[in-house]
Amino acid sequence: MVTGSCFAERLEKHIPLNEAERRALARLEETQRKVKRGAVIQRANDIVSELFVLRHGRVMSYVILPDGSRQILRVYFPGDFIGSASTIYSKAPETLVALADSVVCPFDKKGLRVLLEEYPRVAALMFVLSQAERVALTDRLASLGRTSAKARVAAFLLDIIHRLRVMDDDITDTFDLKLTQEEIGDAIGLTSVHVNRMVRQMEAEGLIRRSNGSITLLNEKKLAEIGHYTDRYTELNLDWLPAA
Amino acid sequence: MVTGSCFAERLEKHIPLNEAERRALARLEETQRKVKRGAVIQRANDIVSELFVLRHGRVMSYVILPDGSRQILRVYFPGDFIGSASTIYSKAPETLVALADSVVCPFDKKGLRVLLEEYPRVAALMFVLSQAERVALTDRLASLGRTSAKARVAAFLLDIIHRLRVMDDDITDTFDLKLTQEEIGDAIGLTSVHVNRMVRQMEAEGLIRRSNGSITLLNEKKLAEIGHYTDRYTELNLDWLPAA
DNA sequence: CGCGAGATTGACTGAGTTCAATAATCGTGG
DNA sequence: CCACGATTATTGAACTCAGTCAATCTCGCG
């Protein structure tokens, strides 16, 4: 039997839930599906009616443009709600691939409907958290549109570590990226060659350290300055939502 | 007295509403505020608790990076819900400026709470439409990260005209952009000089025509091809939402 | 008519790409 | 546990798209 809900746990980082809400959210995670690293969870343009909560592991979403180039849209962590575009489109606009061996909990959008109908506070919360996603995306947009290669790498690394910290208090300054340099490039609009140059430069400057796949941020303050980075995950203010 | 709700009208482009829902939405637009072209509606980093429905005119949101460069995040049209980041942040992450003389309807986020609590179907609808915004942003992300200057201009123009068409059936192939070339550049991550080069090139190739501020798309098919553009506004499928 | 914002154009520069070759690492089967 | 094939990382050199700088032009408006 499932012990708890990853998604509820995430929401409770921001606002307390009551027992009924917690139970309702846990129901979304009743079905668990293991996916191996590299496996495609959802393919762009396939007909879908499922969405997912990511329970373990790591997932990315991307699109492939007609010329073959790839834009990675987002990297997801446990507790994230993914594939939500299927709530409005019958054909998936993006591909979902596991970056590490993962566990996803699929559920039909009809299941979401029941949740939204019966737990308006959860509906409000989900609407509100989708705003946080929106702001994160606009930050990326500014990063891609208006900052240098080095700034993009810095902002990307900071974004990842901040999001990991939301769910895992143990993380201090070191984390596993689980992305190749080519994937980093596809996320921030650079070639793998240039990502490499930036990464080595930052390493040479003592901003980061690398060993195996893991990265240590040696000077977060400086990195934030270089990347024009603003943390959008810790300062959420949800007091105005209905009480539990 | 207010005749109707711009926002409700927009929602009904996607799904029918009942009388009570319509009335509740109209309440969000009870207060109307006129803003002149160029006026700042909300300033980044100011403390805010208001959000807005745009009733008439046109508004843009942007951020200014520390080096002074600007990234325009989104252009808004009548019926759009703007400034929604104030639902989670007490300090505005972005600036809102009127691109034309406009009418916005401000309301406190507490007002949103009442709406979300009492009309779960509206809450669901708002959550779901925020997904459409998200997908639009990811399309822009792919555009900025992975496509050429010409492709970005093409995609940008197509995006604007498609969004105008959602609310205004009269629009065929001509529209007023109400943006300078510098602003277009700030929206798609280019300089005004290069936007100019692309625009003239596209004009010379017979893809668009310009007169005064208005633009005519002469070959939408070709433009969509160049810009790798996908229309995300007409194919929404919301059947699974609770019935009215 | 003159002013000022925006558009246009040309010459030059440079950040990031492309191409290509080599080195390091990883996963896997024997 | 090790060798081998396949990714992934690293580096150099040439190239190119878009940026920068700066001058000129256009047009709406007081």
Side-chain angles (χ1 to χ4, degrees):
Chain A
M1 196 48 221
V2 180
T3 57
S5 159
C6 228
F7 188 46
E9 201 182 315
R10 158 66 69 86
L11 294 186
E12 295 208 90
K13 299 282 175 188
H14 303 297
I15 195 170
L17 298 173
N18 65 37
E19 226 6 90
E21 289 165 341
R22 238 176 260 140
R23 260 199 312 278
L25 290 170
R27 226 169 297 143
L28 297 181
E29 293 172 48
E30 269 171 0
T31 312
Q32 301 195 14
R33 185 187 301 165
K34 283 188 183 144
V35 289
K36 286 230 178 305
R37 184 164 71 82
V40 175
I41 298 167
Q42 171 182 100
R43 200 178 303 274
N45 295 317
D46 275 6
I47 292 180
V48 288
S49 65
E50 267 181 337
L51 40 175
F52 310 87
V53 170
L54 176 56
R55 219 179 144 80
H56 293 301
R58 198 164 301 179
V59 168
M60 66 172 169
S61 65
Y62 64 79
V63 292
I64 302 285
L65 299 190
D67 66 354
S69 64
R70 172 175 66 174
Q71 175 67 49
I72 294 181
L73 302 171
R74 191 126 171 97
V75 177
Y76 294 102
F77 301 104
D80 280 337
F81 193 61
I82 63 184
S84 50
S86 63
T87 55
I88 41 173
Y89 301 112
S90 44
K91 289 164 100 181
E94 64 205 21
T95 301
L96 298 173
V97 170
L99 286 167
D101 292 349
S102 302
V103 178
V104 297
C105 304
F107 57 94
D108 193 89
K109 56 189 177 186
K110 299 251 169 60
L112 182 63
R113 166 173 131 181
V114 173
L115 181 72
L116 297 180
E117 272 186 299
E118 293 178 9
Y119 300 91
R121 212 171 71 100
V122 171
L125 194 50
M126 289 182 66
F127 167 67
V128 147
L129 286 182
S130 74
Q131 297 307 314
E133 286 281 306
R134 193 188 66 84
V135 172
L137 275 170
T138 59
D139 284 344
R140 297 262 315 286
L141 205 66
S143 184
L144 294 214
R146 284 288 177 236
T147 79
S148 70
K150 196 173 171 188
R152 294 187 213 177
V153 174
F156 186 70
L157 295 179
L158 286 169
D159 191 56
I160 299 286
I161 204 170
H162 276 100
R163 289 177 62 203
L164 284 169
R165 281 178 185 149
V166 170
M167 285 298 272
D168 185 348
D169 298 326
D170 296 341
I171 290 171
T172 53
D173 60 353
T174 302
F175 63 101
D176 270 335
L177 196 47
K178 294 187 200 295
L179 291 174
T180 66
Q181 293 179 355
E182 181 162 18
E183 286 164 341
I184 300 173
D186 285 347
I188 60 183
L190 297 171
T191 57
S192 61
V193 174
H194 207 60
V195 169
N196 183 273
R197 286 200 256 261
M198 294 301 107
V199 167
R200 330 222 71 232
Q201 191 188 319
M202 289 163 77
E203 194 170 26
E205 290 170 0
L207 293 166
I208 63 174
R209 192 195 311 134
R210 294 176 304 155
S211 66
N212 307 3
S214 96
I215 293 189
T216 304
L217 306 188
L218 297 173
N219 189 342
E220 275 191 55
K221 189 143 171 280
K222 192 76 189 296
L223 284 169
E225 212 175 294
I226 291 169
H228 306 317
Y229 182 77
T230 315
D231 173 16
R232 305 284 192 190
Y233 304 105
T234 54
E235 48 176 81
L236 299 194
N237 179 344
L238 304 180
D239 301 345
W240 62 281
L241 280 176
Chain B
M1 194 50 219
V2 180
T3 57
S5 158
C6 226
F7 188 45
E9 201 183 315
R10 158 67 69 85
L11 294 186
E12 295 208 90
K13 299 282 176 189
H14 302 297
I15 195 171
L17 298 173
N18 63 39
E19 229 3 273
E21 289 165 343
R22 240 175 259 140
R23 261 198 312 278
L25 291 170
R27 226 169 298 144
L28 297 181
E29 292 172 48
E30 271 171 359
T31 312
Q32 300 195 16
R33 185 187 302 164
K34 283 189 183 146
V35 288
K36 285 230 177 305
R37 184 164 70 83
V40 175
I41 298 166
Q42 171 182 100
R43 199 178 302 274
N45 295 316
D46 275 5
I47 292 180
V48 287
S49 66
E50 267 182 338
L51 40 177
F52 309 87
V53 170
L54 176 56
R55 220 179 143 80
H56 293 303
R58 198 164 300 180
V59 167
M60 67 173 169
S61 65
Y62 63 80
V63 291
I64 302 286
L65 298 191
D67 66 354
S69 63
R70 172 174 68 172
Q71 176 67 47
I72 294 180
L73 302 171
R74 193 128 170 96
V75 177
Y76 294 102
F77 301 105
D80 280 336
F81 192 62
I82 62 183
S84 51
S86 64
T87 55
I88 41 174
Y89 300 112
S90 43
K91 289 163 98 180
E94 63 205 21
T95 299
L96 298 174
V97 169
L99 286 167
D101 292 349
S102 302
V103 177
V104 296
C105 304
F107 57 95
D108 193 88
K109 58 190 176 186
K110 300 249 168 61
L112 182 63
R113 165 172 131 181
V114 174
L115 180 72
L116 297 179
E117 271 186 299
E118 292 178 10
Y119 299 91
R121 212 171 71 101
V122 171
L125 194 49
M126 289 182 66
F127 167 68
V128 147
L129 285 182
S130 74
Q131 298 306 315
E133 285 281 307
R134 192 187 68 82
V135 172
L137 275 170
T138 60
D139 284 343
R140 297 261 318 283
L141 205 66
S143 184
L144 295 214
R146 284 288 177 236
T147 79
S148 69
K150 196 173 170 188
R152 293 187 212 177
V153 174
F156 186 70
L157 294 178
L158 286 169
D159 191 56
I160 299 286
I161 203 170
H162 277 101
R163 290 177 62 203
L164 285 169
R165 280 178 185 149
V166 170
M167 286 297 274
D168 185 348
D169 298 326
D170 297 341
I171 291 172
T172 54
D173 60 352
T174 302
F175 63 102
D176 270 334
L177 196 46
K178 294 186 199 294
L179 291 174
T180 65
Q181 293 181 355
E182 181 162 18
E183 286 164 341
I184 299 173
D186 285 347
I188 61 183
L190 297 172
T191 57
S192 61
V193 174
H194 208 59
V195 169
N196 183 272
R197 288 198 262 258
M198 295 301 108
V199 167
R200 329 219 75 232
Q201 191 187 321
M202 289 163 76
E203 194 170 27
E205 289 170 0
L207 292 167
I208 62 174
R209 192 195 312 132
R210 295 175 301 155
S211 66
N212 306 7
S214 96
I215 293 189
T216 303
L217 307 187
L218 297 172
N219 189 342
E220 274 193 54
K221 191 143 171 280
K222 192 77 189 296
L223 283 169
E225 214 174 293
I226 292 170
H228 306 317
Y229 183 76
T230 316
D231 173 16
R232 305 285 193 188
Y233 304 105
T234 53
E235 48 176 82
L236 299 193
N237 178 343
L238 304 180
D239 301 344
W240 62 281
L241 280 176

